Amino acid sequence: MDGEELTEQETALYDRQIRVWGADAQRRLSKSHILVSGLKGSVIEFCKNIVLAGVGSVTLNDDRMVTEEILSANFLVPADPNVYTGKSLAELCSDSLKEFNRMVRVSVQEGDLSNFSVDFFRKFDAVVISSCSLSTKKSVNEKCRKSLKRIAFYTVDCKDSCGEIFVDLQNYIYSKKKGDGAFECHIKYSTFEEAISVPWKSLPVRVSKLYLALRVIEKFEELEGRIPGETSAADLPKVQKLRKDLCDAQSHDESRIPDSLLERLLEGRSEFPPVCAIIGGILGQEVIKAISGKGDPMKNFFFFDAMDGKGTIEDISEVQTDLPNCNLFSAITD
Amino acid sequence: MASEQQLTAIKGAKVLMVGAGGIGCELLKTLALSGFRDIHIIDMDTIEVSNLNRQFLFRQSHVGQSKAKVARDAVLKFRPHINIIPYHANVKDPDFNVDFFKRFNVVLNGLDNLDARRHVNRLCLAAGVPLVESGTTGFLGQVTVHVKGRTECYECQPKPAPKTYPVCTITSTPSKFVHCVVWAKDLLFAKLFGPKNQENDLNVRSSDASSSSEQVEDVFEHKNDEDIEQYGRKIFDHVFGYNIELALSNEDTWKNRSRPRPIYSKDVIPIEPVHQNGNQGRASAAGDLSSVSAMASLGLKNPQDLWSLKENSAVLLEALKLFLSKREKEIGNLSFDKDDQLAVEFVTAAANIRASSFGIPLHSLFETKGIAGNIVHAVATTNAVIAGLIVIEAIKVLKNDVKNYRMTYCLEHPSKKMLLMPVEPFEPNKSCYVCSETPLTLEINTHCSKLRDVVDKIVKAKLGMNSPLIMQDSSLLYEVGDDLDEDEVAIYAANLEKVLSELPSPVRGGTILTVEDLQQELKCSINIKHREDFDDEKEPDGMVLSGWTQAPAVEKNGKASADNGASTSGASQAASVATEEDDDELQIIPTLTGKKRKLSDVAGAGAASSDASSAAKEPKIKRKAEEIDGNDDVVMLEDGDSTNSTKKGEP
């Protein structure tokens, strides 16, 4: 048990969730600091969820000025140009999030995510980034790894009716209840770079098509120097060509990445709010698990596609372990 | 995803949302963002502090206001030009009749109780409007689609009953903490503070009076001149001391049980210096109900702490004193309310003293409150996910995309790698008394049971009708409604008190009753079968309804963190007391029991299991490849297993 007790106010406000994850977990949540960059629909949902849950602080990073398109899946910013003109998206979201829960400190960090230093990331317990380039994903992940303190790293993206979450908890240790005793579980995670470098022929059997398709699009955006998400159906021929090259190189069957899926992803600039809610909800839960040490965290990708309605976890790691979820390490007697 | 066809369907749709709580707030937001423009929303509740951790459209300043109205205003801030009509009302109000429901293209439920869900299901069936139903408990949730004639209705599968306990377990032989809570709440609290004329199984005779038979004095009677302090100790000694001694005198009971220990107040708290820590008046300012608190006057702070027997006894006496001195006007009209701090304190203390007597582990106020109030565990994230899934199904319904309808389960632990698991909906159950016209059978002693028993225990409690009409052939036996003549009202009132076989048109074995609810437009036939004897413990209603299925009750253990929201209440014959959970979330997650429903093990295991770790149970789902898109597959359920559909809850 770490630290002081919850206040009366906290106990009253968090009553229903303390009944789910316990007072200890709630205490740990209230001491955690989260960095969030790229305030798209799914991330907005995520922010709402963790502010409600009662984390210690949330730092928002998104310097974009608000446009109508940005607001398509945003419920934090009032639809009034008099309110939103002249402020960055992060500032506007911060204003609104503060009202959700006065006990959470919400602040804004200006600047370009890719320029932040290891020292900067060290201030956080979890870092969630969205809609950024392949190179930024890799570099932020690396910086989180370099910090001596363990930082939970997440990337999240929604395109059209599809969403992807990646998580790197480094070496994650938590205790898991089993019967009357508790076990210490160790999970070893791969970085994003390590994960996406796994040869396609070593991927789990029947791996989610979304995983493959998103890697093709990600590569395409990098090669073309596109702003992430700035794609359209007109790009399909080039993307098909890239798919063939990648599949040939990996000796993989091209038909596992259907045209229809690529087309949807390329067109998916405007977000589909129900999918944002789902991805933001799952992500919120994962971050809460990682911070509170309560519950089995997922390893290491989550995919959702509204077309088939499945929300799937895939373990795509450098080294495949026999026990992907929990290595029983030592029993802690009760 | 936003195809033209889809946008048209969304923009033109008129949607009815029932419930503006945990799921409702998320749903209204997601509907508005998705482009829905005409949304009506019904919720009778007002906002409470414990809602604010997940019902994000509400703020502290909104506490006490209508959920439906505040939710509307909050959503209009980011989508000002859409039409949202709030109703601060009960969905069971007659205004929301079949014609009202017919105005909508789809109905979306975010409800917290079985009764309202069944009611909405019936109205949707009668109005021919598709229903998307949902529920969450903790990390578990589900979304189902109900379209008349296409998929099963909400009531095609049995629902788990609220757990009830045999009277003697509650009055004499508790073995779990929950039994003590039920005793404290439904017997002791009700006896002391509830309506005087209620049936109650507490022994009220004191030792002195027991000899003078009929003219017994009720020890619970508080005489005007009686000192409050003394009265409190008298009650304490009676229920925890004398009544236990009395029970001990029945040797048979304790042959195979450990004997309880009588507890007298003077042994726990010496008579003279009754605690007066001078803290009185240092009450929290949160609201009327919480301003009077025994914990506060005794200097107890943390609701998660376990109190000693002495502390529990002090809380009990103090709470009783506060009720009598500060809230005397309410006495006689109180029913247990989990948001009533003093009531929770009283019940916690009483349950713990009784538990102490019977050697049952004690629990904190926080835990006891969860058990006594049937509090449903709730987190924002699950509600958000479920709301997203509801909108996805609603859009399919609006596009009439029948082949893609799915029921979806949100799981705590992945199954077949899935956290969100879609399943094809089931076909309507041909023997469902709600959506097909299957007659029911009622075994009853027609020479003993009154019409009132049938109305209360069967028509209302089991069939879920609100405004029933009962006919035998063409003669009306019973009816409710505003438009009845005085003499009709008198006749029906008289009929209620008559034994079935002595009604104007007698009801005997072989009679067929027609029971109808005009508001729900639900009608069913009940074949009456006369039977003389019923087992008091196993058939406490004194009648047995068949053809109507209810899943086995969910056994609760005393641990709040493992409960799923099903009712713990109902000590006496009055079995299940209406649940008092405040908001959104359901009490019926494990709906999927019964034949071909192995998936129940998925949603059910997690939701109903009292041991969270067993929720990881592997569901038995077989996959059947289906060439929809490439070589993707669709989850199919295993067929033909019916292990647990009719098993009754162990008494």
Side-chain angles (χ1 to χ4, degrees):
Chain A
M1 225 160 278
D2 44 292
E4 61 275 24
E5 287 179 357
L6 296 170
T7 64
E8 204 176 310
Q9 192 189 8
E10 287 170 316
T11 311
L13 177 65
Y14 302 133
D15 182 283
R16 296 302 185 273
Q17 66 199 41
I18 292 174
R19 291 176 195 283
V20 177
W21 53 59
D24 279 353
Q26 189 65 46
R27 270 192 290 273
R28 283 192 280 271
L29 277 179
S30 69
K31 289 186 188 128
S32 64
H33 306 287
I34 321 282
L35 174 70
V36 180
S37 178
L39 301 179
K40 300 252 290 179
S42 50
V43 177
I44 296 291
E45 287 278 353
F46 165 74
C47 290
K48 170 205 68 191
N49 294 334
I50 54 163
V51 169
L52 290 173
V55 295
S57 78
V58 179
T59 305
L60 305 177
N61 170 247
D62 195 325
D63 297 346
R64 288 180 296 168
M65 289 296 140
V66 169
T67 60
E68 233 171 87
E69 190 189 320
I70 282 183
L71 294 185
S72 71
N74 186 314
F75 54 89
L76 293 179
V77 181
D80 178 359
N82 293 325
V83 176
Y84 66 67
T85 310
K87 281 186 162 181
S88 73
L89 184 56
E91 287 173 311
L92 288 160
C93 291
S94 162
D95 292 346
S96 179
L97 282 170
K98 278 175 188 160
E99 303 208 340
F100 281 27
N101 188 346
R102 299 279 176 185
M103 287 184 262
V104 178
R105 292 184 302 285
V106 185
S107 62
V108 173
Q109 175 65 51
E110 286 179 23
D112 187 340
L113 177 67
S114 55
N115 295 333
F116 295 151
S117 66
V118 174
D119 277 344
F120 173 77
F121 289 111
R122 193 170 292 149
K123 293 187 279 191
F124 302 98
D125 301 288
V127 169
V128 174
I129 65 174
S130 176
S131 36
C132 41
S133 66
L134 180 55
S135 63
T136 307
K137 284 181 191 173
K138 291 179 187 169
S139 78
V140 173
N141 192 178
E142 278 313 312
K143 286 173 188 168
C144 290
R145 282 263 174 162
K146 277 187 189 138
S147 159
L148 291 174
K149 172 181 138 190
R150 192 178 58 81
I151 303 171
F153 171 82
Y154 300 83
T155 71
V156 55
D157 276 298
C158 277
K159 289 173 191 289
D160 190 79
S161 52
C162 302
E164 176 186 66
I165 297 170
F166 166 80
V167 49
D168 174 14
L169 300 182
Q170 307 183 18
N171 286 315
Y172 186 74
I173 303 168
Y174 68 110
S175 81
K176 187 184 170 90
K177 272 196 183 155
K178 203 169 191 183
D180 288 335
F183 287 93
E184 193 163 86
C185 288
H186 284 215
I187 311 181
K188 193 169 160 41
Y189 284 82
S190 296
T191 63
F192 187 68
E193 183 157 19
E194 287 163 354
I196 63 169
S197 306
V198 171
W200 287 6
K201 60 176 190 306
S202 328
L203 290 174
V205 192
R206 305 168 67 77
V207 71
S208 169
K209 281 177 289 192
L210 262 178
Y211 172 76
L212 301 170
L214 285 167
R215 300 291 79 78
V216 175
I217 305 251
E218 196 171 66
K219 193 77 192 163
F220 171 78
E221 286 173 344
E222 188 186 43
L223 293 172
E224 294 266 313
R226 298 283 178 92
I227 295 168
E230 298 281 311
T231 55
S232 72
D235 296 319
L236 187 60
K238 280 186 175 173
V239 172
Q240 284 170 319
K241 170 80 174 56
L242 180 62
R243 171 184 64 188
K244 185 172 188 324
D245 295 347
L246 289 173
C247 286
D248 286 352
Q250 301 261 15
S251 29
H252 201 271
D253 179 6
E254 254 192 275
S255 70
R256 283 289 286 146
I257 315 175
D259 286 348
S260 56
L261 179 58
L262 286 176
E263 203 170 342
R264 275 165 61 208
L265 295 172
L266 287 169
E267 277 184 331
R269 286 188 52 178
S270 69
E271 299 166 280
F272 186 46
V275 174
C276 294
I278 291 165
I279 292 291
I282 301 283
L283 179 62
Q285 202 45 58
E286 285 305 314
V287 171
I288 289 167
K289 278 188 213 165
I291 293 170
S292 66
K294 191 100 183 172
D296 305 318
M298 70 166 65
K299 185 188 177 196
N300 55 348
F301 281 90
F302 176 80
F303 298 96
F304 180 78
D305 185 349
M307 289 287 266
D308 62 14
K310 287 185 203 167
T312 314
I313 293 172
E314 297 280 4
D315 183 358
I316 301 170
S317 305
E318 202 184 17
V319 186
Q320 293 287 323
T321 49
D322 291 338
L323 290 166
N325 216 358
C326 181
N327 307 330
L328 296 185
F329 185 68
S330 57
I332 305 160
T333 44
D334 234 8
Chain B
M1 188 80 184
S3 68
E4 280 310 309
Q5 181 212 6
Q6 181 161 308
L7 277 178
T8 316
I10 290 174
K11 284 180 179 167
K14 198 176 177 72
V15 176
L16 177 63
M17 274 179 62
V18 192
I23 294 173
C25 280
E26 294 287 341
L27 182 57
L28 187 61
K29 170 261 298 167
T30 304
L31 284 172
L33 290 177
S34 303
F36 283 84
R37 290 177 170 181
D38 192 357
I39 308 165
H40 292 230
I41 178 163
I42 303 175
D43 196 314
M44 67 188 292
D45 282 345
T46 53
I47 296 158
E48 292 170 31
V49 171
S50 63
N51 300 151
L52 303 178
N53 78 321
R54 61 196 186 287
Q55 301 178 19
F56 74 100
L57 299 173
F58 311 145
R59 305 280 170 267
Q60 185 76 44
S61 60
H62 296 133
V63 169
Q65 297 182 40
S66 153
K67 286 188 177 181
K69 289 179 183 166
V70 174
R72 167 190 183 268
D73 295 346
V75 167
L76 289 185
K77 285 197 181 125
F78 60 87
R79 285 294 179 275
H81 304 300
I82 66 172
N83 184 38
I84 303 176
I85 311 282
Y87 304 88
H88 183 198
N90 188 336
V91 69
K92 289 186 184 170
D93 286 353
D95 290 350
F96 306 121
N97 55 17
V98 174
D99 285 335
F100 176 85
F101 274 70
K102 277 183 179 158
R103 289 156 54 196
F104 298 94
N105 302 101
V106 65
V107 175
L108 312 178
N109 267 359
L111 280 162
D112 65 345
N113 67 85
L114 184 59
D115 253 16
R117 282 190 166 92
R118 293 168 72 177
H119 185 81
V120 172
N121 179 50
R122 291 162 190 198
L123 283 161
C124 285
L125 286 168
V129 182
L131 169 66
V132 182
E133 172 64 71
S134 70
T136 66
T137 304
F139 301 125
L140 304 167
Q142 65 183 36
V143 173
T144 53
V145 187
H146 307 282
V147 181
K148 191 177 181 180
R150 299 270 189 180
T151 67
E152 63 181 4
C153 84
Y154 175 70
E155 294 175 89
C156 276
Q157 297 297 328
K159 304 286 176 277
K163 176 69 188 169
T164 60
Y165 301 96
V167 183
C168 66
T169 305
I170 301 302
T171 57
S172 322
T173 55
S175 56
K176 292 176 176 170
F177 187 67
V178 63
H179 301 150
C180 302
V181 174
V182 171
W183 176 86
K185 179 177 97 161
D186 293 349
L187 297 185
L188 187 60
F189 183 90
K191 180 75 205 169
L192 284 166
F193 310 121
K196 287 290 166 238
N197 52 1
Q198 268 185 153
E199 242 179 76
N200 196 305
D201 291 310
L202 266 191
N203 170 40
V204 300
R205 298 179 189 198
S206 71
S207 46
D208 333 315
S210 56
S211 50
S212 55
S213 66
E214 291 310 303
Q215 293 292 2
V216 283
E217 190 189 354
D218 185 340
V219 286
F220 289 89
E221 202 63 43
H222 179 229
K223 290 175 223 89
N224 289 335
D225 55 346
E226 191 172 9
D227 176 62
I228 290 180
E229 206 73 55
Q230 267 175 14
Y231 172 72
R233 284 179 179 269
K234 183 178 78 181
I235 298 299
F236 189 113
D237 293 344
H238 177 75
V239 298
F240 300 113
Y242 174 73
N243 277 357
I244 299 288
E245 307 255 21
L246 203 64
L248 281 170
S249 65
N250 188 353
E251 287 296 336
D252 275 0
T253 314
W254 313 108
K255 268 185 195 152
N256 302 308
R257 292 186 174 91
S258 54
R259 300 167 66 90
R261 172 171 70 98
I263 299 174
Y264 289 94
S265 66
K266 67 174 175 357
D267 302 331
V268 189
I269 299 176
I271 298 274
E272 319 89 340
V274 174
H275 266 300
Q276 277 298 353
N277 279 2
N279 282 337
Q280 237 158 357
R282 197 207 276 173
S284 76
D288 287 337
L289 287 182
S290 57
S291 60
V292 180
S293 157
M295 269 177 84
S297 24
L298 296 168
L300 295 166
K301 291 218 174 73
N302 191 343
Q304 310 231 18
D305 284 345
L306 274 188
W307 300 333
S308 64
L309 175 59
K310 185 175 176 179
E311 283 167 322
N312 277 299
S313 304
V315 169
L316 184 94
L317 292 173
E318 180 68 19
L320 187 55
K321 198 168 85 185
L322 288 172
F323 266 119
L324 292 172
S325 58
K326 301 269 166 76
R327 297 176 55 180
E328 55 195 309
K329 290 209 181 74
E330 298 165 65
I331 292 174
N333 294 312
L334 277 168
S335 57
F336 178 80
D337 174 355
K338 66 172 167 33
D339 295 310
D340 179 340
Q341 172 69 19
L342 192 58
V344 174
E345 290 170 351
F346 179 87
V347 166
T348 301
N352 275 321
I353 300 167
R354 187 166 171 84
S356 194
S357 211
F358 283 85
I360 296 166
L362 308 192
H363 286 66
S364 70
L365 177 120
F366 180 83
E367 292 168 312
T368 311
K369 179 177 170 181
I371 299 166
N374 303 316
I375 292 179
V376 179
H377 313 153
V379 288
T381 48
T382 314
N383 289 337
V385 171
I386 288 299
L389 293 168
I390 294 173
V391 176
I392 289 171
E393 288 313 312
I395 293 170
K396 289 182 203 166
V397 166
L398 293 171
K399 285 162 52 182
N400 201 23
D401 187 5
V402 182
K403 72 175 181 5
N404 284 315
Y405 291 171
R406 293 288 182 274
M407 318 192 269
T408 308
Y409 300 90
C410 181
L411 310 175
E412 184 173 2
H413 303 280
S415 169
K416 304 275 176 195
K417 297 205 296 193
M418 281 181 276
L419 269 189
L420 301 176
M421 178 185 285
V423 174
E424 284 191 43
F426 292 96
E427 291 188 350
N429 174 357
K430 291 191 182 66
S431 59
C432 171
Y433 77 94
V434 178
C435 70
S436 62
E437 283 169 17
T438 311
L440 302 162
T441 300
L442 179 65
E443 291 175 64
I444 190 167
N445 188 332
T446 54
H447 304 308
C448 294
S449 296
K450 293 174 180 171
L451 184 61
R452 176 183 295 285
D453 300 326
V454 176
V455 171
D456 290 347
K457 292 174 184 170
I458 301 296
V459 179
K460 287 188 177 165
K462 291 214 164 39
L463 302 183
M465 293 184 176
N466 298 312
S467 331
L469 177 154
I470 301 176
M471 286 172 59
Q472 196 226 10
D473 271 341
S474 56
S475 66
L476 261 170
L477 295 174
Y478 181 68
E479 188 181 4
V480 279
D482 300 331
D483 49 352
L484 299 179
D485 298 337
E486 263 177 49
D487 46 331
E488 285 176 315
V489 173
I491 292 170
Y492 297 141
N495 280 354
L496 276 183
E497 304 311 325
K498 285 185 182 145
V499 169
L500 293 182
S501 58
E502 288 161 16
L503 282 161
S505 19
V507 173
R508 304 192 179 96
T511 304
I512 298 174
L513 285 182
T514 305
V515 185
E516 194 172 355
D517 188 306
L518 296 176
Q519 192 193 350
Q520 297 174 346
E521 293 198 4
L522 174 64
K523 187 173 178 177
C524 49
S525 308
I526 303 179
N527 298 322
I528 300 294
K529 217 169 136 185
H530 176 77
R531 183 174 139 194
E532 290 286 332
D533 299 316
F534 292 88
D535 184 322
D536 285 351
E537 289 293 327
K538 287 181 185 146
E539 299 157 335
D541 286 341
M543 55 188 88
V544 176
L545 183 70
S546 48
W548 167 92
T549 39
Q550 183 159 27
V554 183
E555 172 72 64
K556 322 271 297 193
N557 67 1
K559 218 173 134 209
S561 63
D563 285 344
N564 99 20
S567 173
T568 55
S569 54
S572 57
Q573 295 89 329
S576 71
V577 172
T579 56
E580 294 162 88
E581 69 235 71
D582 55 344
D583 22 52
D584 45 22
E585 287 77 7
L586 82 173
Q587 56 173 162
I588 7 162
I589 279 225
T591 54
L592 303 186
T593 33
K595 57 185 169 155
K596 68 174 183 175
R597 288 280 180 147
K598 272 305 195 179
L599 198 70
S600 57
D601 295 350
V602 186
S609 163
S610 54
D611 175 6
S613 64
S614 73
K617 221 184 273 176
E618 271 286 294
K620 296 184 184 110
I621 292 164
K622 81 178 170 206
R623 304 181 135 212
K624 180 174 154 190
E626 209 175 276
E627 301 296 319
I628 293 180
D629 178 13
N631 50 2
D632 217 341
D633 49 9
V634 159
V635 175
M636 300 294 285
L637 295 180
E638 208 159 29
D639 235 287
D641 181 290
S642 65
T643 45
N644 52 359
S645 55
T646 50
K647 222 166 50 185
K648 277 267 189 277
E650 187 253 332

